[in-house]
Every structure is written in C-alpha cells, then in structure tokens.
Amino acid sequence: MTTNRPIEDAPSLTEAALRGFEKKHSLQLPADYRDFLLSSNGAFPTPDCVEFEEAGRKSASDVFCFFAIGDKRAGVSMAWHCETYADRIPKSTVPIGRDSGGNLWLLSLRSADAGSIYFWDHGSFDTFDE
C-alpha cells in the first residue's frame, strides 16, 4: 500500500493557481495528475523505491518527493525545477519529482506517450537522447 506524507508547510493549491502555473510554463497536465496536485500539492511517498529497466538492465531509484506548486523552497518546487532544467530535459516533459540524488522523475506531455514517467539521470546529460 502506497501512502503519501504531505510536504510540511507546502501551500494549498487552488485551481486558479494551477491554471496559472500551466499557462506560465505553456503546458497542460493530465487530469489525474492535476487531481493529485489539487488534493495534496506534492508529497513524500512510501514506499519510495521504483524499479525500472535502463539500457536493457534492471535498475532502481527512489522517489524522494513529488514537487509542489507555489512552494518557494527549491528542493520541493515544481516551478524551480521547470525553470532550472528547461534547457536540459526533453521538450514536452515536466519534472514532477526527484530522487535523493537529485535525479528527476519526468512526466511526458507528448501525444505519443502522454502520461508516461521517465527517470532523468543528471549525470548522463551529455549523452541524453531525447
């Protein structure tokens, strides 16, 4: 069973603030992710381990947190991560969380794979193939 611990002191998120964030960053989040943000505005999930395949090998990482909108603290701010990594992450993705090492979890907004989640390892930026 997965549980989410709230981000302490994260601001409540309104529909108007969420629409403003989407407009500012020229994106439209999927309805289910919007619902998650409106109900919790980020969180620390438990369990936090995620297994996935990378270059044909099994790999794993954690989800330290899912980002909040309107939070001024860089470590949990979706806006800060969008702005900081804008020129480094693939187009049509949005950072929705990070692992404990600072790698990002990206949500695809591309029509071909909308809603897919990708792990972005900041150490492989020079060889990243969009």
Side-chain angles (χ1 to χ4, degrees):
M1 178 174 168
T2 301
T3 59
N4 289 311
R5 183 172 47 90
I7 298 172
E8 191 172 316
D9 298 327
S12 295
L13 183 63
T14 64
E15 178 66 35
L18 180 53
R19 279 194 311 269
F21 174 86
E22 289 175 318
K23 183 176 181 178
K24 178 180 180 178
H25 295 280
S26 302
L27 55 87
Q28 176 66 47
L29 295 169
D32 57 348
Y33 201 73
R34 293 177 100 259
D35 291 344
F36 166 74
L37 288 170
L38 288 167
S39 68
S40 66
N41 197 21
F44 296 99
T46 302
D48 64 357
C49 184
V50 178
E51 295 179 356
F52 54 95
E53 198 166 302
E54 180 181 29
R57 298 182 324 246
K58 288 189 178 191
S59 191
S61 188
D62 67 317
V63 179
F64 176 74
C65 74
F66 291 110
F67 299 136
I69 291 176
D71 199 306
K72 302 298 183 201
R73 297 169 290 184
V76 296
S77 169
M78 188 179 288
W80 185 89
H81 285 85
C82 284
E83 293 158 14
T84 300
Y85 292 97
D87 294 332
R88 295 190 270 175
I89 62 175
K91 303 294 182 235
S92 300
T93 64
V94 62
I96 60 167
R98 68 179 178 94
D99 74 1
S100 55
N103 300 304
L104 299 177
W105 291 100
L106 305 176
L107 174 64
S108 177
L109 304 176
R110 291 180 287 234
S111 59
D113 62 351
S116 295
I117 304 294
Y118 292 96
F119 180 73
W120 184 78
D121 181 344
H122 60 69
S124 63
F125 170 65
D126 289 339
T127 61
F128 189 80
D129 182 0
E130 192 170 319

